[in-house]
Amino acid sequence: GIIEIKEGEFMYQKEIKKNNENIIFEYIYNQKQGFSIAEVCQSLDLTFPTVKRIFESFLEKSILIQAKKNNHGVGRKAMEYTYNNDFCYSIGVRISEDFLHLILTNSIGKVFCQSKITIPSQLKNICSFLEENILVFLRQINQEKKNKIVGIGISIPGIFNQETKMIEFKINHFSSFVALEELQKNIPYPIYIENESNLSAIAEAVLGKYLNLSEFTVLTINKNIGSSHFVRREKDRNFYFKAGRIHHMIVNKNGRKCYCGSKGCLGTYISIKALLQDFQEIFPEVQDIESIFHEKYRESKEGKKILEQYIEYLAIGIQNLLFFSNPEKIIISGMICHFQEYLYTKLLNKIYHSGHIFFRGRDTVVFSSFHENSSLVGAALFPIVDSMF
């Protein structure tokens, strides 16, 4: 659920008291196959009757499949079990500045169908647009899978504010919780709405390469900039995460004008939108972010200069995050991941210049393996994580 930290600030946190069912589910989810009741008892320090009872319940719900008896050692062979990836399904929805992207996945994020819809520029009511497109998407899914859908996770670039009862679906595009309640009335599955950086953190924590990290920061670079700090307590495996408005961290007090009214916000220098605008000023024919990285533009004298400035400001933002929370990793996600080969080495050299005083080494800063889809995958995983972990 959502808990209040102090006035005006909220953080998602899993319930403190995890029951044995959640603990065992997380264990088998991570193991995937070839485990026995005895192994689970030993690993989780639980009694045989407790684990056996929960395994029986998981077999009934098709969460587990009996695999085979293993042949290790002497004496009676223990029954081995496998986790059933397809015991449930979930829908992930990502709202970006321009598109609505929907996917249906199984419990480990395997995509079965997807849809990408352009959001009309003069759209008045995003909630009814969202509802209409979710209902269209649901009609594509066969009944067998529909019966096993546990929920719909929705990724938004803005903040989900409990206090004002407002959801920032797009930049400066707000809807009230009433709109969400209306949405929930007509859609037959629980709806979970969360900030895109928080959902990227979920994808990384549950399916990414960094499952064993106890805390990390996700930096999301799309047309807007977001960040989320994720913490998992080793003692009880509970976790929480909190999105920050890093877009509006001021890095140049006399700098560029931001839509928030301030000058010199980080987002006006390192968002995809800012990078595209910088190139379009010199090369008006450039239509999209992909074109920037064509050799003709990125290797030109002006192009090199723009990218150098871009990397400089990106390095400043990352240095600030490193100082602020000293994370085990900073994972960069979003559209920028597609161009990491042109940026990564130069970026690291800028962050870890000679005489730097950072706590950890160069491998602290990494790009997400999910690229710009981390928040979409996270959205699809969120209903499963919320109910099962």
Side-chain angles (χ1 to χ4, degrees), residues 71-102:
N71 300 317
H72 311 312
V74 202
R76 280 184 65 188
K77 294 184 180 79
M79 176 64 76
E80 275 195 356
Y81 296 86
T82 295
Y83 172 71
N84 176 14
N85 300 335
D86 296 328
F87 89 90
C88 75
Y89 298 91
S90 180
I91 290 172
V93 180
R94 177 174 169 240
I95 299 169
S96 71
E97 279 291 279
D98 311 303
F99 296 103
L100 194 62
H101 201 152
L102 300 96

PDB file of all heavy atoms in Angstrom, residues 71-102:
ATOM      1  N   ASN A  71      16.846 -37.629  -8.190  1.00  0.00           N
ATOM      2  CA  ASN A  71      17.577 -38.874  -7.909  1.00  0.00           C
ATOM      3  C   ASN A  71      18.836 -38.664  -7.071  1.00  0.00           C
ATOM      4  O   ASN A  71      19.716 -39.486  -7.053  1.00  0.00           O
ATOM      5  CB  ASN A  71      17.982 -39.545  -9.234  1.00  0.00           C
ATOM      6  CG  ASN A  71      16.754 -39.869 -10.056  1.00  0.00           C
ATOM      7  OD1 ASN A  71      15.763 -40.349  -9.511  1.00  0.00           O
ATOM      8  ND2 ASN A  71      16.793 -39.574 -11.349  1.00  0.00           N
ATOM      9  N   HIS A  72      18.920 -37.508  -6.409  1.00  0.00           N
ATOM     10  CA  HIS A  72      20.146 -37.266  -5.655  1.00  0.00           C
ATOM     11  C   HIS A  72      20.155 -38.093  -4.371  1.00  0.00           C
ATOM     12  O   HIS A  72      19.144 -38.256  -3.714  1.00  0.00           O
ATOM     13  CB  HIS A  72      20.285 -35.781  -5.299  1.00  0.00           C
ATOM     14  CG  HIS A  72      20.076 -34.894  -6.484  1.00  0.00           C
ATOM     15  ND1 HIS A  72      20.689 -35.125  -7.682  1.00  0.00           N
ATOM     16  CD2 HIS A  72      19.322 -33.769  -6.648  1.00  0.00           C
ATOM     17  CE1 HIS A  72      20.330 -34.193  -8.533  1.00  0.00           C
ATOM     18  NE2 HIS A  72      19.494 -33.364  -7.933  1.00  0.00           N
ATOM     19  N   GLY A  73      21.322 -38.576  -4.021  1.00  0.00           N
ATOM     20  CA  GLY A  73      21.494 -39.231  -2.714  1.00  0.00           C
ATOM     21  C   GLY A  73      20.826 -40.579  -2.619  1.00  0.00           C
ATOM     22  O   GLY A  73      20.334 -41.150  -3.583  1.00  0.00           O
ATOM     23  N   VAL A  74      20.790 -41.063  -1.409  1.00  0.00           N
ATOM     24  CA  VAL A  74      20.255 -42.399  -1.137  1.00  0.00           C
ATOM     25  C   VAL A  74      18.855 -42.248  -0.526  1.00  0.00           C
ATOM     26  O   VAL A  74      18.461 -41.169  -0.116  1.00  0.00           O
ATOM     27  CB  VAL A  74      21.177 -43.134  -0.109  1.00  0.00           C
ATOM     28  CG1 VAL A  74      20.995 -44.646  -0.196  1.00  0.00           C
ATOM     29  CG2 VAL A  74      22.642 -42.775  -0.322  1.00  0.00           C
ATOM     30  N   GLY A  75      18.140 -43.317  -0.448  1.00  0.00           N
ATOM     31  CA  GLY A  75      16.844 -43.311   0.241  1.00  0.00           C
ATOM     32  C   GLY A  75      15.735 -42.800  -0.650  1.00  0.00           C
ATOM     33  O   GLY A  75      15.849 -42.787  -1.867  1.00  0.00           O
ATOM     34  N   ARG A  76      14.641 -42.373  -0.002  1.00  0.00           N
ATOM     35  CA  ARG A  76      13.455 -41.935  -0.765  1.00  0.00           C
ATOM     36  C   ARG A  76      13.764 -40.729  -1.631  1.00  0.00           C
ATOM     37  O   ARG A  76      14.460 -39.818  -1.235  1.00  0.00           O
ATOM     38  CB  ARG A  76      12.353 -41.549   0.215  1.00  0.00           C
ATOM     39  CG  ARG A  76      11.599 -42.770   0.753  1.00  0.00           C
ATOM     40  CD  ARG A  76      10.462 -42.337   1.625  1.00  0.00           C
ATOM     41  NE  ARG A  76       9.469 -41.605   0.858  1.00  0.00           N
ATOM     42  CZ  ARG A  76       8.438 -40.973   1.417  1.00  0.00           C
ATOM     43  NH1 ARG A  76       8.289 -40.972   2.716  1.00  0.00           N
ATOM     44  NH2 ARG A  76       7.559 -40.332   0.683  1.00  0.00           N
ATOM     45  N   LYS A  77      13.211 -40.759  -2.821  1.00  0.00           N
ATOM     46  CA  LYS A  77      13.442 -39.639  -3.737  1.00  0.00           C
ATOM     47  C   LYS A  77      12.447 -38.515  -3.395  1.00  0.00           C
ATOM     48  O   LYS A  77      11.266 -38.779  -3.217  1.00  0.00           O
ATOM     49  CB  LYS A  77      13.243 -40.095  -5.192  1.00  0.00           C
ATOM     50  CG  LYS A  77      14.274 -41.113  -5.636  1.00  0.00           C
ATOM     51  CD  LYS A  77      14.076 -41.455  -7.100  1.00  0.00           C
ATOM     52  CE  LYS A  77      15.099 -42.469  -7.561  1.00  0.00           C
ATOM     53  NZ  LYS A  77      14.742 -43.832  -7.142  1.00  0.00           N
ATOM     54  N   ALA A  78      12.952 -37.276  -3.354  1.00  0.00           N
ATOM     55  CA  ALA A  78      12.072 -36.147  -3.052  1.00  0.00           C
ATOM     56  C   ALA A  78      11.393 -35.669  -4.333  1.00  0.00           C
ATOM     57  O   ALA A  78      11.990 -35.674  -5.401  1.00  0.00           O
ATOM     58  CB  ALA A  78      12.896 -35.016  -2.456  1.00  0.00           C
ATOM     59  N   MET A  79      10.126 -35.255  -4.184  1.00  0.00           N
ATOM     60  CA  MET A  79       9.399 -34.704  -5.328  1.00  0.00           C
ATOM     61  C   MET A  79       9.961 -33.314  -5.647  1.00  0.00           C
ATOM     62  O   MET A  79      10.174 -32.504  -4.754  1.00  0.00           O
ATOM     63  CB  MET A  79       7.911 -34.592  -4.963  1.00  0.00           C
ATOM     64  CG  MET A  79       7.063 -33.935  -6.028  1.00  0.00           C
ATOM     65  SD  MET A  79       7.012 -34.869  -7.577  1.00  0.00           S
ATOM     66  CE  MET A  79       5.884 -36.192  -7.114  1.00  0.00           C
ATOM     67  N   GLU A  80      10.227 -33.072  -6.930  1.00  0.00           N
ATOM     68  CA  GLU A  80      10.675 -31.745  -7.336  1.00  0.00           C
ATOM     69  C   GLU A  80       9.510 -30.968  -7.951  1.00  0.00           C
ATOM     70  O   GLU A  80       8.598 -31.565  -8.527  1.00  0.00           O
ATOM     71  CB  GLU A  80      11.819 -31.845  -8.357  1.00  0.00           C
ATOM     72  CG  GLU A  80      13.164 -31.999  -7.700  1.00  0.00           C
ATOM     73  CD  GLU A  80      14.324 -31.728  -8.649  1.00  0.00           C
ATOM     74  OE1 GLU A  80      14.074 -31.500  -9.844  1.00  0.00           O
ATOM     75  OE2 GLU A  80      15.467 -31.754  -8.187  1.00  0.00           O
ATOM     76  N   TYR A  81       9.572 -29.656  -7.814  1.00  0.00           N
ATOM     77  CA  TYR A  81       8.490 -28.801  -8.310  1.00  0.00           C
ATOM     78  C   TYR A  81       9.052 -27.734  -9.249  1.00  0.00           C
ATOM     79  O   TYR A  81      10.217 -27.366  -9.175  1.00  0.00           O
ATOM     80  CB  TYR A  81       7.786 -28.112  -7.138  1.00  0.00           C
ATOM     81  CG  TYR A  81       7.099 -29.088  -6.221  1.00  0.00           C
ATOM     82  CD1 TYR A  81       7.795 -29.703  -5.175  1.00  0.00           C
ATOM     83  CD2 TYR A  81       5.756 -29.418  -6.384  1.00  0.00           C
ATOM     84  CE1 TYR A  81       7.184 -30.609  -4.330  1.00  0.00           C
ATOM     85  CE2 TYR A  81       5.124 -30.325  -5.544  1.00  0.00           C
ATOM     86  CZ  TYR A  81       5.845 -30.914  -4.518  1.00  0.00           C
ATOM     87  OH  TYR A  81       5.229 -31.818  -3.687  1.00  0.00           O
ATOM     88  N   THR A  82       8.179 -27.228 -10.108  1.00  0.00           N
ATOM     89  CA  THR A  82       8.534 -26.149 -11.038  1.00  0.00           C
ATOM     90  C   THR A  82       7.500 -25.046 -10.901  1.00  0.00           C
ATOM     91  O   THR A  82       6.307 -25.320 -10.731  1.00  0.00           O
ATOM     92  CB  THR A  82       8.536 -26.683 -12.491  1.00  0.00           C
ATOM     93  OG1 THR A  82       9.582 -27.650 -12.596  1.00  0.00           O
ATOM     94  CG2 THR A  82       8.792 -25.581 -13.501  1.00  0.00           C
ATOM     95  N   TYR A  83       7.963 -23.811 -10.982  1.00  0.00           N
ATOM     96  CA  TYR A  83       7.061 -22.660 -10.949  1.00  0.00           C
ATOM     97  C   TYR A  83       6.360 -22.544 -12.304  1.00  0.00           C
ATOM     98  O   TYR A  83       6.993 -22.667 -13.353  1.00  0.00           O
ATOM     99  CB  TYR A  83       7.869 -21.394 -10.652  1.00  0.00           C
ATOM    100  CG  TYR A  83       7.075 -20.123 -10.785  1.00  0.00           C
ATOM    101  CD1 TYR A  83       6.090 -19.800  -9.843  1.00  0.00           C
ATOM    102  CD2 TYR A  83       7.283 -19.249 -11.846  1.00  0.00           C
ATOM    103  CE1 TYR A  83       5.347 -18.636  -9.970  1.00  0.00           C
ATOM    104  CE2 TYR A  83       6.548 -18.082 -11.974  1.00  0.00           C
ATOM    105  CZ  TYR A  83       5.584 -17.778 -11.035  1.00  0.00           C
ATOM    106  OH  TYR A  83       4.839 -16.635 -11.162  1.00  0.00           O
ATOM    107  N   ASN A  84       5.059 -22.283 -12.284  1.00  0.00           N
ATOM    108  CA  ASN A  84       4.282 -22.158 -13.520  1.00  0.00           C
ATOM    109  C   ASN A  84       4.175 -20.684 -13.923  1.00  0.00           C
ATOM    110  O   ASN A  84       3.376 -19.935 -13.364  1.00  0.00           O
ATOM    111  CB  ASN A  84       2.884 -22.767 -13.311  1.00  0.00           C
ATOM    112  CG  ASN A  84       1.996 -22.591 -14.536  1.00  0.00           C
ATOM    113  OD1 ASN A  84       2.481 -22.260 -15.617  1.00  0.00           O
ATOM    114  ND2 ASN A  84       0.707 -22.816 -14.361  1.00  0.00           N
ATOM    115  N   ASN A  85       4.983 -20.280 -14.910  1.00  0.00           N
ATOM    116  CA  ASN A  85       5.003 -18.873 -15.357  1.00  0.00           C
ATOM    117  C   ASN A  85       3.634 -18.371 -15.797  1.00  0.00           C
ATOM    118  O   ASN A  85       3.340 -17.183 -15.727  1.00  0.00           O
ATOM    119  CB  ASN A  85       5.947 -18.710 -16.564  1.00  0.00           C
ATOM    120  CG  ASN A  85       7.369 -19.103 -16.231  1.00  0.00           C
ATOM    121  OD1 ASN A  85       7.777 -19.054 -15.081  1.00  0.00           O
ATOM    122  ND2 ASN A  85       8.129 -19.501 -17.247  1.00  0.00           N
ATOM    123  N   ASP A  86       2.793 -19.289 -16.300  1.00  0.00           N
ATOM    124  CA  ASP A  86       1.507 -18.888 -16.889  1.00  0.00           C
ATOM    125  C   ASP A  86       0.322 -19.090 -15.951  1.00  0.00           C
ATOM    126  O   ASP A  86      -0.815 -19.161 -16.402  1.00  0.00           O
ATOM    127  CB  ASP A  86       1.257 -19.680 -18.185  1.00  0.00           C
ATOM    128  CG  ASP A  86       2.291 -19.361 -19.256  1.00  0.00           C
ATOM    129  OD1 ASP A  86       2.768 -18.216 -19.282  1.00  0.00           O
ATOM    130  OD2 ASP A  86       2.620 -20.253 -20.054  1.00  0.00           O
ATOM    131  N   PHE A  87       0.598 -19.134 -14.643  1.00  0.00           N
ATOM    132  CA  PHE A  87      -0.545 -19.331 -13.727  1.00  0.00           C
ATOM    133  C   PHE A  87      -1.428 -18.085 -13.701  1.00  0.00           C
ATOM    134  O   PHE A  87      -2.605 -18.137 -13.384  1.00  0.00           O
ATOM    135  CB  PHE A  87      -0.067 -19.715 -12.316  1.00  0.00           C
ATOM    136  CG  PHE A  87       0.193 -18.540 -11.397  1.00  0.00           C
ATOM    137  CD1 PHE A  87      -0.830 -18.042 -10.597  1.00  0.00           C
ATOM    138  CD2 PHE A  87       1.435 -17.934 -11.347  1.00  0.00           C
ATOM    139  CE1 PHE A  87      -0.594 -16.954  -9.755  1.00  0.00           C
ATOM    140  CE2 PHE A  87       1.673 -16.857 -10.516  1.00  0.00           C
ATOM    141  CZ  PHE A  87       0.653 -16.368  -9.711  1.00  0.00           C
ATOM    142  N   CYS A  88      -0.847 -16.926 -14.056  1.00  0.00           N
ATOM    143  CA  CYS A  88      -1.663 -15.707 -14.138  1.00  0.00           C
ATOM    144  C   CYS A  88      -1.097 -14.787 -15.219  1.00  0.00           C
ATOM    145  O   CYS A  88       0.025 -14.983 -15.691  1.00  0.00           O
ATOM    146  CB  CYS A  88      -1.714 -14.983 -12.791  1.00  0.00           C
ATOM    147  SG  CYS A  88      -0.191 -14.112 -12.389  1.00  0.00           S
ATOM    148  N   TYR A  89      -1.910 -13.808 -15.591  1.00  0.00           N
ATOM    149  CA  TYR A  89      -1.512 -12.822 -16.598  1.00  0.00           C
ATOM    150  C   TYR A  89      -1.801 -11.428 -16.058  1.00  0.00           C
ATOM    151  O   TYR A  89      -2.547 -11.272 -15.081  1.00  0.00           O
ATOM    152  CB  TYR A  89      -2.278 -13.041 -17.910  1.00  0.00           C
ATOM    153  CG  TYR A  89      -1.987 -14.378 -18.527  1.00  0.00           C
ATOM    154  CD1 TYR A  89      -2.767 -15.498 -18.233  1.00  0.00           C
ATOM    155  CD2 TYR A  89      -0.898 -14.547 -19.385  1.00  0.00           C
ATOM    156  CE1 TYR A  89      -2.473 -16.746 -18.771  1.00  0.00           C
ATOM    157  CE2 TYR A  89      -0.599 -15.785 -19.928  1.00  0.00           C
ATOM    158  CZ  TYR A  89      -1.388 -16.875 -19.616  1.00  0.00           C
ATOM    159  OH  TYR A  89      -1.092 -18.103 -20.146  1.00  0.00           O
ATOM    160  N   SER A  90      -1.214 -10.447 -16.712  1.00  0.00           N
ATOM    161  CA  SER A  90      -1.401  -9.075 -16.259  1.00  0.00           C
ATOM    162  C   SER A  90      -1.277  -8.140 -17.453  1.00  0.00           C
ATOM    163  O   SER A  90      -0.623  -8.477 -18.436  1.00  0.00           O
ATOM    164  CB  SER A  90      -0.323  -8.778 -15.220  1.00  0.00           C
ATOM    165  OG  SER A  90      -0.454  -7.472 -14.751  1.00  0.00           O
ATOM    166  N   ILE A  91      -1.904  -6.980 -17.341  1.00  0.00           N
ATOM    167  CA  ILE A  91      -1.813  -5.989 -18.423  1.00  0.00           C
ATOM    168  C   ILE A  91      -0.990  -4.803 -17.932  1.00  0.00           C
ATOM    169  O   ILE A  91      -1.203  -4.304 -16.820  1.00  0.00           O
ATOM    170  CB  ILE A  91      -3.215  -5.537 -18.880  1.00  0.00           C
ATOM    171  CG1 ILE A  91      -3.901  -6.691 -19.627  1.00  0.00           C
ATOM    172  CG2 ILE A  91      -3.141  -4.296 -19.780  1.00  0.00           C
ATOM    173  CD1 ILE A  91      -5.354  -6.446 -19.956  1.00  0.00           C
ATOM    174  N   GLY A  92      -0.029  -4.399 -18.751  1.00  0.00           N
ATOM    175  CA  GLY A  92       0.763  -3.202 -18.456  1.00  0.00           C
ATOM    176  C   GLY A  92       0.391  -2.112 -19.445  1.00  0.00           C
ATOM    177  O   GLY A  92       0.228  -2.375 -20.636  1.00  0.00           O
ATOM    178  N   VAL A  93       0.238  -0.888 -18.935  1.00  0.00           N
ATOM    179  CA  VAL A  93      -0.098   0.250 -19.797  1.00  0.00           C
ATOM    180  C   VAL A  93       0.914   1.359 -19.508  1.00  0.00           C
ATOM    181  O   VAL A  93       1.168   1.677 -18.339  1.00  0.00           O
ATOM    182  CB  VAL A  93      -1.521   0.786 -19.497  1.00  0.00           C
ATOM    183  CG1 VAL A  93      -1.859   1.964 -20.409  1.00  0.00           C
ATOM    184  CG2 VAL A  93      -2.564  -0.309 -19.629  1.00  0.00           C
ATOM    185  N   ARG A  94       1.492   1.909 -20.559  1.00  0.00           N
ATOM    186  CA  ARG A  94       2.406   3.045 -20.361  1.00  0.00           C
ATOM    187  C   ARG A  94       1.851   4.263 -21.075  1.00  0.00           C
ATOM    188  O   ARG A  94       1.556   4.219 -22.272  1.00  0.00           O
ATOM    189  CB  ARG A  94       3.793   2.696 -20.910  1.00  0.00           C
ATOM    190  CG  ARG A  94       4.762   3.852 -20.815  1.00  0.00           C
ATOM    191  CD  ARG A  94       6.183   3.458 -21.228  1.00  0.00           C
ATOM    192  NE  ARG A  94       6.978   4.673 -21.351  1.00  0.00           N
ATOM    193  CZ  ARG A  94       7.578   5.074 -22.465  1.00  0.00           C
ATOM    194  NH1 ARG A  94       7.492   4.352 -23.567  1.00  0.00           N
ATOM    195  NH2 ARG A  94       8.260   6.181 -22.495  1.00  0.00           N
ATOM    196  N   ILE A  95       1.682   5.352 -20.320  1.00  0.00           N
ATOM    197  CA  ILE A  95       1.248   6.608 -20.928  1.00  0.00           C
ATOM    198  C   ILE A  95       2.490   7.480 -21.064  1.00  0.00           C
ATOM    199  O   ILE A  95       3.151   7.792 -20.078  1.00  0.00           O
ATOM    200  CB  ILE A  95       0.198   7.323 -20.043  1.00  0.00           C
ATOM    201  CG1 ILE A  95      -1.036   6.454 -19.872  1.00  0.00           C
ATOM    202  CG2 ILE A  95      -0.174   8.669 -20.638  1.00  0.00           C
ATOM    203  CD1 ILE A  95      -2.003   6.935 -18.828  1.00  0.00           C
ATOM    204  N   SER A  96       2.827   7.835 -22.305  1.00  0.00           N
ATOM    205  CA  SER A  96       3.943   8.763 -22.503  1.00  0.00           C
ATOM    206  C   SER A  96       3.359  10.053 -23.072  1.00  0.00           C
ATOM    207  O   SER A  96       2.143  10.200 -23.178  1.00  0.00           O
ATOM    208  CB  SER A  96       4.974   8.154 -23.455  1.00  0.00           C
ATOM    209  OG  SER A  96       4.443   8.117 -24.766  1.00  0.00           O
ATOM    210  N   GLU A  97       4.219  10.978 -23.444  1.00  0.00           N
ATOM    211  CA  GLU A  97       3.742  12.239 -24.018  1.00  0.00           C
ATOM    212  C   GLU A  97       2.900  12.005 -25.276  1.00  0.00           C
ATOM    213  O   GLU A  97       1.932  12.696 -25.525  1.00  0.00           O
ATOM    214  CB  GLU A  97       4.941  13.116 -24.388  1.00  0.00           C
ATOM    215  CG  GLU A  97       5.526  13.858 -23.219  1.00  0.00           C
ATOM    216  CD  GLU A  97       4.597  14.944 -22.715  1.00  0.00           C
ATOM    217  OE1 GLU A  97       4.569  16.029 -23.294  1.00  0.00           O
ATOM    218  OE2 GLU A  97       3.870  14.690 -21.740  1.00  0.00           O
ATOM    219  N   ASP A  98       3.311  11.012 -26.081  1.00  0.00           N
ATOM    220  CA  ASP A  98       2.701  10.858 -27.403  1.00  0.00           C
ATOM    221  C   ASP A  98       1.903   9.574 -27.599  1.00  0.00           C
ATOM    222  O   ASP A  98       1.079   9.488 -28.501  1.00  0.00           O
ATOM    223  CB  ASP A  98       3.807  10.890 -28.488  1.00  0.00           C
ATOM    224  CG  ASP A  98       4.735  12.072 -28.289  1.00  0.00           C
ATOM    225  OD1 ASP A  98       4.239  13.202 -28.277  1.00  0.00           O
ATOM    226  OD2 ASP A  98       5.957  11.856 -28.132  1.00  0.00           O
ATOM    227  N   PHE A  99       2.209   8.553 -26.782  1.00  0.00           N
ATOM    228  CA  PHE A  99       1.621   7.238 -27.055  1.00  0.00           C
ATOM    229  C   PHE A  99       1.015   6.591 -25.818  1.00  0.00           C
ATOM    230  O   PHE A  99       1.393   6.877 -24.691  1.00  0.00           O
ATOM    231  CB  PHE A  99       2.693   6.266 -27.600  1.00  0.00           C
ATOM    232  CG  PHE A  99       3.264   6.661 -28.927  1.00  0.00           C
ATOM    233  CD1 PHE A  99       4.519   7.250 -29.016  1.00  0.00           C
ATOM    234  CD2 PHE A  99       2.541   6.456 -30.099  1.00  0.00           C
ATOM    235  CE1 PHE A  99       5.051   7.622 -30.238  1.00  0.00           C
ATOM    236  CE2 PHE A  99       3.063   6.827 -31.335  1.00  0.00           C
ATOM    237  CZ  PHE A  99       4.319   7.419 -31.401  1.00  0.00           C
ATOM    238  N   LEU A 100       0.092   5.685 -26.129  1.00  0.00           N
ATOM    239  CA  LEU A 100      -0.449   4.760 -25.130  1.00  0.00           C
ATOM    240  C   LEU A 100       0.036   3.388 -25.580  1.00  0.00           C
ATOM    241  O   LEU A 100      -0.204   2.984 -26.714  1.00  0.00           O
ATOM    242  CB  LEU A 100      -1.976   4.825 -25.189  1.00  0.00           C
ATOM    243  CG  LEU A 100      -2.760   4.218 -24.039  1.00  0.00           C
ATOM    244  CD1 LEU A 100      -2.440   4.943 -22.748  1.00  0.00           C
ATOM    245  CD2 LEU A 100      -4.256   4.345 -24.337  1.00  0.00           C
ATOM    246  N   HIS A 101       0.775   2.701 -24.722  1.00  0.00           N
ATOM    247  CA  HIS A 101       1.347   1.411 -25.094  1.00  0.00           C
ATOM    248  C   HIS A 101       0.780   0.365 -24.146  1.00  0.00           C
ATOM    249  O   HIS A 101       0.863   0.533 -22.934  1.00  0.00           O
ATOM    250  CB  HIS A 101       2.870   1.494 -24.951  1.00  0.00           C
ATOM    251  CG  HIS A 101       3.615   0.478 -25.740  1.00  0.00           C
ATOM    252  ND1 HIS A 101       4.889   0.672 -26.213  1.00  0.00           N
ATOM    253  CD2 HIS A 101       3.261  -0.771 -26.145  1.00  0.00           C
ATOM    254  CE1 HIS A 101       5.281  -0.413 -26.882  1.00  0.00           C
ATOM    255  NE2 HIS A 101       4.313  -1.295 -26.850  1.00  0.00           N
ATOM    256  N   LEU A 102       0.176  -0.694 -24.674  1.00  0.00           N
ATOM    257  CA  LEU A 102      -0.417  -1.740 -23.832  1.00  0.00           C
ATOM    258  C   LEU A 102       0.218  -3.092 -24.131  1.00  0.00           C
ATOM    259  O   LEU A 102       0.477  -3.411 -25.301  1.00  0.00           O
ATOM    260  CB  LEU A 102      -1.933  -1.857 -24.080  1.00  0.00           C
ATOM    261  CG  LEU A 102      -2.784  -0.627 -23.815  1.00  0.00           C
ATOM    262  CD1 LEU A 102      -3.020   0.140 -25.112  1.00  0.00           C
ATOM    263  CD2 LEU A 102      -4.125  -1.010 -23.215  1.00  0.00           C
TER     264      LEU A 102
END
